[in-house]
């Protein structure tokens, strides 16, 4: 069920989610590491992830990732 909520959130944020949001959805650090190892999540900025794969020409996704790295934006 957490993956469904993750997909919903990422879909509203141009395929980007912050680590803080993942924790709020109930993901543990081990769950995040597991998804990174399996390429289900891809680190795109420090503390910001995309649901893989990541498109090269995704300006909206890059802008959302930048916004998610800023303090108190989520």
């Amino acid at each position: 069920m957490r993956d469904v909520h993750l997909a919903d959130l990422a879909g509203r944020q141009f395929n980007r989610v912050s680590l803080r949001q993942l924790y709020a959805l109930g993901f543990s650090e081990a769950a995040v590491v597991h998804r990174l190892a399996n390429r289900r999540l891809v680190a795109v900025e420090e503390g910001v992830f995309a649901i893989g794969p990541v498109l090269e020409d995704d300006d909206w996704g890059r802008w959302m990732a930048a916004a998610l790295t800023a303090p108190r934006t989520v």
Side-chain angles (χ1 to χ4, degrees):
M1 194 64 156
R2 282 178 289 179
D3 286 315
V4 172
H5 294 293
L6 171 59
D8 179 57
L9 177 61
R12 291 183 275 126
Q13 296 183 163
F14 303 102
N15 197 37
R16 302 298 188 269
V17 292
S18 70
L19 184 57
R20 176 179 281 183
Q21 290 174 315
L22 289 169
Y23 290 155
L25 289 172
F27 288 90
S28 66
E29 182 178 346
V32 173
V33 169
H34 175 76
R35 282 166 177 76
L36 285 167
N38 291 329
R39 307 280 301 158
R40 291 171 62 193
L41 285 177
V42 178
V44 293
E45 295 286 344
E46 185 174 337
V48 179
F49 306 92
I51 297 175
V54 178
L55 303 175
E56 291 296 320
D57 61 342
D58 184 11
D59 289 335
W60 288 103
R62 280 195 292 278
W63 294 329
M64 178 55 77
L68 290 171
T69 63
R72 294 180 295 279
T73 58
V74 177

